[in-house]
Amino acid sequence: DAKTTQPNSMESNEEEPVHLPCNHSTISGTDYIHWYRQLPSQGPEYVIHGLTSNVNNRMASLAIAEDRKSSTLILHRATLRDAAVYYCSRFGGSQGNLIFGKGTKLSVKP
Amino acid sequence: NAGVTQTPKFRVLKTGQSMTLLCAQDMNHEYMYWYRQDPGMGLRLIHYSVGEGTTAKGEVPDGYNVSRLKKQNFLLGLESAAPSQTSVYFCASSYPADGAGEYNEQFFGPGTRLTVL
């Protein structure tokens, strides 16, 4: 199966780190891992992407397993505004192999 | 910059009717995409375009047609709507992938909620 697998939901406390896992055991060597998030009634928003190395940006960090069969999106300090559905996706191929996962709904408690 | 805009925002159709969803972007992006989002299914790619005048099928293309006559516009057509096409439709755009296949971030529109009765 070419899709990614994520837990349906996760909970976090405000100002604590959150680790969102994703399994992509059939990913090809050239597929990039992208993460997007979606707030209620809005379009998805890009978070981060990477290929093999761990990546950091102002929003989050992406930790990619050495065998690339899994990855983890890390929100260093969750805020109430981070409550959203997070999609782990794989993008690759010359003609647009774009596969979104089904998403993890993250709830953040104050 | 308006980013990616979609019209209409909402639409109700009867089975068998036709309609066109319009997506426009003002970021000079080469790539454009149409997705549908159904409960519990995440986002699924319908069609995409890597440049003006070119289109290609995605994961769920049946029942839809697309056209990219201008770089900034990507149209999604339903010739004969069916209840199974009830969904939220998102358009997105991005800069092209580089030679190593690295896709850039996609910018999404606000979506069109379509109901087919």
Side-chain angles (χ1 to χ4, degrees), chain B residues 29-51:
Chain B
H29 286 163
E30 286 290 334
Y31 287 15
M32 295 188 75
Y33 316 81
W34 275 108
Y35 294 90
R36 62 177 289 172
Q37 185 173 43
D38 303 298
M41 298 296 292
L43 286 148
R44 293 182 292 170
L45 183 66
I46 304 171
H47 286 278
Y48 63 98
S49 168
V50 298

Side-chain angles (χ1 to χ4, degrees), chain A residues 4-95:
Chain A
T4 60
T5 304
Q6 303 173 249
N8 289 334
S9 62
M10 291 184 64
E11 271 192 355
S12 172
N13 294 317
E14 197 175 12
E15 297 192 3
E16 289 185 356
V18 181
H19 291 234
L20 297 163
C22 179
N23 179 287
H24 31 78
S25 58
T26 61
I27 195 169
S28 76
T30 55
D31 285 357
Y32 279 75
I33 300 153
H34 282 234
W35 284 81
Y36 286 77
R37 71 179 187 181
Q38 186 175 25
L39 299 171
S41 300
Q42 294 188 22
E45 172 190 33
Y46 169 82
V47 178
I48 200 167
H49 78 281
L51 182 64
T52 56
S53 304
N54 294 345
V55 184
N56 300 296
N57 66 20
R58 63 175 179 80
M59 291 183 70
S61 295
L62 176 60
I64 301 171
E66 197 169 332
D67 63 8
R68 294 194 0 106
K69 293 184 176 182
S70 64
S71 62
T72 302
L73 178 70
I74 303 164
L75 306 179
H76 295 287
R77 290 184 64 194
T79 69
L80 297 179
R81 288 174 295 180
D82 290 324
V85 179
Y86 287 78
Y87 293 99
C88 168
S89 316
R90 39 181 291 251
F91 291 175
S94 60
Q95 291 300 315

Side-chain angles (χ1 to χ4, degrees), chain B residues 10-24:
Chain B
F10 303 94
R11 186 72 185 269
V12 178
L13 289 179
K14 294 181 179 179
T15 297
Q17 287 184 318
S18 64
M19 78 163 294
T20 300
L21 282 66
L22 171 63
C23 175

Side-chain angles (χ1 to χ4, degrees), chain B residues 3 24 38 53 67 70 73 103 106 117:
Chain B
D38 303 298
S67 64
K70 293 183 179 180
N73 295 337
Y103 275 82
Q106 294 183 24
L117 302 176

Side-chain angles (χ1 to χ4, degrees), chain B residues 12 30 36 38 44 53 61-62 70-71 82 88 90 96 99 101-102 108-109 114:
Chain B
V12 178
E30 286 290 334
R36 62 177 289 172
D38 303 298
R44 293 182 292 170
D62 293 343
K70 293 183 179 180
K71 186 177 182 178
V88 180
F90 288 100
E102 180 171 2
F108 283 81
L114 175 66

